[in-house]
Amino acid sequence: MELDFDPEKLGMMEGGFSQTMQIDPKRGRFPCSIVWSPLPVISWFIPFIGHIGICREDGVILDFAGPNFVCVDNFAFGSATRYLPVSKEKCYIPLSQTAYNGEEHDIRGENGGDLRTWDDALRKSTQEFQHLAYNLLTCNCHSFVANNLNRLGFLSGGWNVVNLALFILLNGRWVSTPSMLRSILPFVVVFFLGVTFGGFTFLKFWFIFTSILIGWFLIGTYCFNNLIQL
């Protein structure tokens, strides 16, 4: 899945949105985007697994980071290293029409309640996850973002933790070269040291660990309904 995105178009909005709609990694602002950062330890062994959040129209990051807690403008594991702009034209509802030009459209959200803008959908998901217990294996940051995308109807919905992770892996963009090194270099170092000093034993345990973790999410997503929260 490829998304058409022109950063210059974000600066063409008239009025107060002309500044807030520009992607600004230094300020941690990624309007209407999904953002990703590496997780300590886990990403050192499996570099494509990390922490994700979704951003409001003004670029502020929201991420499910703990029991009954959605962080606002304080990405839990450091600054974002990858981002993925989400085209509002590819959502179920024409959010790009309602967010800026003042048109009044009563839009019924997937889980009930009227949605008028992108931020309305994110607010609904935030309210829901503020009453959920965090669990790395069953209710995590990917669950939160998938819930938001399903509520928005992005690409007709159907998002879960597996296809969302693949979507970011294949389409995400690095914020900068240092961000890429911050994400990948620890894995390279750990893997090199592991193979150097552990040899086949390290490779065996690395393969088992990776298979168990990935297998859990595959089985939990596609074989058991409601095992992984969305």
Side-chain angles (χ1 to χ4, degrees), residues 5-67:
F5 174 67
D6 183 356
E8 294 182 359
K9 292 181 180 179
L10 294 177
M12 296 174 62
M13 308 304 298
E14 295 182 356
F17 290 100
S18 60
Q19 296 299 322
T20 59
M21 287 304 295
Q22 295 182 9
I23 287 178
D24 186 351
K26 292 183 178 180
R27 296 176 57 236
R29 296 292 185 266
F30 301 87
C32 299
S33 298
I34 301 169
V35 291
W36 183 96
S37 69
L39 284 168
V41 183
I42 294 179
S43 297
W44 300 351
F45 291 91
I46 312 176
F48 54 84
I49 292 181
H51 182 69
I52 67 172
I54 190 167
C55 303
R56 299 186 321 209
E57 291 175 297
D58 61 2
V60 169
I61 300 173
L62 307 177
D63 62 301
F64 185 47

Side-chain angles (χ1 to χ4, degrees), residues 5 36 41 85 131 140 158 180 214 217:
F5 174 67
W36 183 96
V41 183
H131 297 89
N140 55 38
M180 180 175 63
I214 295 176
F217 288 111

Side-chain angles (χ1 to χ4, degrees), residues 165-187:
L166 285 173
F167 188 50
I168 298 170
L169 175 65
L170 298 176
N171 296 279
R173 307 175 185 188
W174 295 108
V175 171
S176 63
T177 299
S179 295
M180 180 175 63
L181 293 176
R182 173 190 155 201
S183 301
I184 297 177
L185 190 58
F187 167 75

Side-chain angles (χ1 to χ4, degrees), residues 67-141:
N68 313 109
F69 182 59
V70 176
C71 284
V72 179
D73 201 19
N74 185 25
F75 206 29
F77 294 97
S79 59
T81 61
R82 302 187 81 184
Y83 70 99
L84 176 58
V86 175
S87 172
K88 290 189 289 184
E89 287 75 16
K90 295 183 180 181
C91 293
Y92 177 74
I93 51 180
L95 293 169
S96 59
Q97 297 296 319
T98 62
Y100 305 110
N101 61 12
E103 293 182 7
E104 295 294 331
H105 295 297
D106 290 330
I107 305 168
R108 182 64 58 178
E110 178 183 339
N111 297 317
D114 292 332
L115 303 180
R116 295 176 183 270
T117 68
W118 171 281
D119 285 353
D120 286 337
L122 268 58
R123 189 176 300 110
K124 292 285 187 179
S125 290
T126 297
Q127 291 171 349
E128 178 181 340
F129 274 76
Q130 284 175 337
H131 297 89
L132 295 178
Y134 183 94
N135 186 299
L136 179 64
L137 297 177
T138 59
C139 185
N140 55 38
C141 57

Side-chain angles (χ1 to χ4, degrees), residues 136-140 143 160-163 211-230:
L136 179 64
L137 297 177
T138 59
C139 185
N140 55 38
S143 303
N160 55 54
V161 298
V162 175
N163 59 22
S211 298
I212 290 175
L213 192 58
I214 295 176
W216 166 265
F217 288 111
L218 288 172
I219 294 172
T221 298
Y222 296 108
C223 298
F224 297 96
N225 291 331
N226 302 320
L227 179 60
I228 297 179
Q229 179 74 40
L230 293 176

